[in-house]
Amino acid sequence: MPIYRVLEPRLSGLHIREWRRRALHTVVLLLGTLVFCAIGLIVLDNSNHLLPAKMFRGFWNALNLVTTLGDFSGLERRDKVFMMFTMVAFLMIGGYALSSLTGFFSSDAEMTRRENRYMERKLDRLASHVIVIGFGPLGRLVAGRLHEAGEQVVIIDRADDRAAGASVLGCLVVQGDAGVDHAVLDHAKIQQARALVVTSEDPDRKLSITLMAHSRNPKLKIAVTGANSPRGALLHSAGASEVVIMDDLIAGALVDRLGKAPL
């Protein structure tokens, strides 16, 4: 499954603008050389024709040179010598164009742009899905159980390896830092989502993600883990619907196991 990379569109946009600048530069060079060739042929024309006829023949021969049509008219030796030098100039410009422009279509930035466009179409169709932030051990388990329950899951992670791992498993992935860039949540269609599960280990990121998600979708169910009760209360005030206190959960599980163990 492809990955939507939030940071890459900006870099891809810069790359496309640079490619357009180079393409424009190449076109200007080609047109300039064409005009120079036509003017040179007009100046070298010693016939008795009027200037409009000389201009037409000069541009005709110049365009024939560029298009390699070969239908030249009225060329003398010095015209041919001049056109030989012009041919070399066109070959140099053509080589420059090939070296600077053709690599764009197979570049990483262009491939990322195509991948993002494909992912945009898939993400635009999402509704009532569950977003899981973080694809570490806990996030992987949560995503797996949600998938088994028939939920449509979108993974958000900023790390290349974890985003790639989620993609290999067939998950929809938005790569970016949801705790810093609100565009990450927007691309994951937070406003159409049914629920959000935050599995990040960083307490400050948990808080910032909860605040940002709640501000964008006040009706969103947000489940997040907390280190202790005071932290849980802070997450609740930030908009979390459910806060799982890890220490309480583990302690309760241990006590339950003791109660079930034979005496």
Side-chain angles (χ1 to χ4, degrees):
M1 181 68 67
I3 301 172
Y4 187 94
R5 294 176 173 87
V6 175
L7 297 179
E8 295 300 330
R10 303 164 190 171
L11 300 177
S12 181
L14 292 174
H15 189 80
I16 291 173
R17 285 194 290 272
E18 174 62 18
W19 180 85
R20 288 175 178 170
R21 186 190 68 80
R22 292 184 183 183
L24 179 62
H25 187 218
T26 302
V27 170
V28 170
L29 284 175
L30 287 172
L31 290 176
T33 307
L34 175 65
V35 172
F36 173 77
C37 178
I39 293 173
L41 291 172
I42 294 169
V43 172
L44 293 173
D45 191 347
N46 289 329
S47 67
N48 295 324
H49 294 95
L50 296 176
L51 181 60
K54 290 183 178 181
M55 292 177 61
F56 178 81
R57 186 164 66 174
F59 277 102
W60 173 258
N61 287 330
L63 286 170
N64 272 282
L65 176 64
V66 175
T67 60
T68 66
L69 183 61
D71 188 16
F72 300 108
S73 61
L75 291 179
E76 298 179 359
R77 180 181 178 84
R78 58 181 183 176
D79 296 327
K80 294 178 180 178
V81 172
F82 175 75
M83 292 185 71
M84 287 172 62
F85 285 105
T86 309
M87 288 177 186
V88 173
F90 273 115
L91 287 174
M92 293 175 64
I93 294 172
Y96 166 78
L98 287 173
S99 63
S100 61
L101 300 179
T102 54
F104 168 80
F105 296 103
S106 59
S107 65
D108 291 340
E110 174 61 13
M111 297 300 290
T112 298
R113 187 181 72 87
R114 295 177 186 176
E115 191 175 30
N116 278 0
R117 289 182 62 183
Y118 171 78
M119 281 296 294
E120 281 178 352
R121 292 192 292 269
K122 295 187 74 67
L123 293 170
D124 285 340
R125 294 194 293 266
L126 288 175
S128 299
H129 55 289
V130 180
I131 300 173
V132 177
I133 297 183
F135 201 67
L138 178 58
R140 185 182 292 262
L141 286 172
V142 171
R145 294 190 180 184
L146 287 170
H147 182 72
E148 291 173 359
E151 297 284 356
Q152 192 166 30
V153 181
V154 177
I155 304 297
I156 295 178
D157 204 300
R158 56 182 175 176
D160 291 336
D161 56 343
R162 292 197 293 268
S167 176
V168 169
L169 294 177
C171 300
L172 291 173
V173 182
V174 176
Q175 185 177 357
D177 193 344
V180 175
D181 190 352
H182 61 80
V184 177
L185 294 174
D186 292 337
H187 285 296
K189 304 303 175 185
I190 189 75
Q191 293 180 343
Q192 289 79 38
R194 183 179 68 82
L196 171 72
V197 181
V198 184
T199 67
S200 172
E201 297 179 359
D202 187 336
D204 293 331
R205 291 190 72 244
K206 290 179 186 179
L207 183 60
S208 63
I209 291 170
T210 302
L211 283 168
M212 292 170 65
H214 183 68
S215 66
R216 273 170 161 62
N217 187 352
K219 297 181 180 179
L220 184 71
K221 294 181 180 180
I222 303 175
V224 60
T225 59
N228 48 51
S229 296
R231 195 71 183 184
L234 185 61
L235 289 166
H236 272 301
S237 64
S241 310
E242 300 291 337
V243 178
V244 178
I245 306 301
M246 299 300 292
D247 290 345
D248 289 347
L249 184 64
I250 295 172
L254 290 173
V255 171
D256 288 343
R257 291 296 179 92
L258 288 175
K260 294 176 182 179
L263 299 176

